[in-house]
Amino acid sequence: IKQSEAFLIPYFKMIFRDKLESIRTIYDLGAGHMAWADIFSEVFPMAGIFLIDKIQIQHSKYSSIQIDVGEFLHTTSFDSSCLLWFSEFFHCKADNIKLLEYTKTAHVGINELEYDPYINDRLRKIGGFLSEPGELNSHFDCDEIYRYSTQLFPYYTLVRSPK
């Protein structure tokens, strides 16, 4: 874990404080760079971690499944021992929000950039956008909203337990 990301371990232990023992499987959806897997291996040391991405993830110590996230969500069953983790996933494409309908039986965490007009303008050029937490939550119905900042950007995290 990079030193700049180490502060996230106690942050996520606090967010998932009542779920630390019950979550046994974590699916990092759109895993790409693998940073979250290292953090979650510290937060949930007994959980199996699976990296899900349409690109092949090289040199990972975690199980990696090369599949489109939408296809994975459509074809996989989840229970209350699973955490589905989406980080900076929904701002890439507006249609990604529709995938939340397949997540109701698992714990879900969404981590997104806070709204910034400059970043939003750049994302719109590739078909994406930044959502305010309330806008994204209107599709999600989260239990809680948390906020934190890195040295570069502010983020928010939405968390929901199984319905």
Side-chain angles (χ1 to χ4, degrees):
I1 295 177
K2 296 177 188 171
Q3 189 173 8
S4 61
E5 297 169 342
F7 81 95
L8 291 170
I9 294 168
Y11 172 76
F12 284 109
K13 282 185 177 181
M14 184 270 303
I15 287 177
F16 294 108
R17 64 193 167 277
D18 59 342
K19 302 164 186 70
L20 292 174
E21 300 298 321
S22 63
I23 292 176
R24 294 284 173 226
T25 306
I26 298 169
Y27 295 104
D28 185 352
L29 303 161
H33 55 77
M34 298 183 295
W36 292 106
D38 287 339
I39 291 167
F40 283 129
S41 71
E42 294 288 328
V43 176
F44 301 98
M46 302 305 290
I49 299 173
F50 297 86
L51 309 176
I52 311 298
D53 208 310
K54 64 183 172 186
I55 62 168
Q56 185 173 3
I57 298 173
Q58 303 276 335
H59 314 293
S60 173
K61 61 184 176 185
Y62 306 100
S63 297
S64 176
I65 302 171
Q66 185 178 355
I67 188 172
D68 178 77
V69 170
E71 184 179 343
F72 176 76
L73 291 172
H74 283 98
T75 59
T76 308
S77 297
F78 309 103
D79 62 27
S80 62
S81 69
C82 295
L83 169 63
L84 303 175
W85 179 252
F86 297 92
S87 181
E88 298 181 49
F89 182 80
F90 294 102
H91 71 241
C92 298
K93 295 178 186 165
D95 285 348
N96 284 352
I97 290 174
K98 295 176 185 173
L99 297 175
L100 288 172
E101 70 181 77
Y102 301 101
T103 67
K104 294 180 177 147
T105 58
H107 296 279
V108 179
I110 297 174
N111 199 66
E112 284 289 339
L113 286 164
E114 288 278 8
Y115 183 82
D116 176 277
Y118 175 73
I119 295 172
N120 196 49
D121 286 345
R122 291 182 63 198
L123 284 169
R124 287 199 183 279
K125 292 176 183 174
I126 60 167
F129 65 97
L130 290 177
S131 296
E132 296 285 350
E135 181 183 350
L136 185 54
N137 193 41
S138 69
H139 301 275
F140 184 60
D141 190 29
C142 75
D143 301 327
E144 298 184 64
I145 300 174
Y146 301 92
R147 289 184 155 84
Y148 71 94
S149 290
T150 65
Q151 294 174 344
L152 299 174
F153 300 107
Y155 290 87
Y156 63 89
T157 306
L158 305 176
V159 177
R160 186 189 71 206
S161 295
K163 300 293 181 197

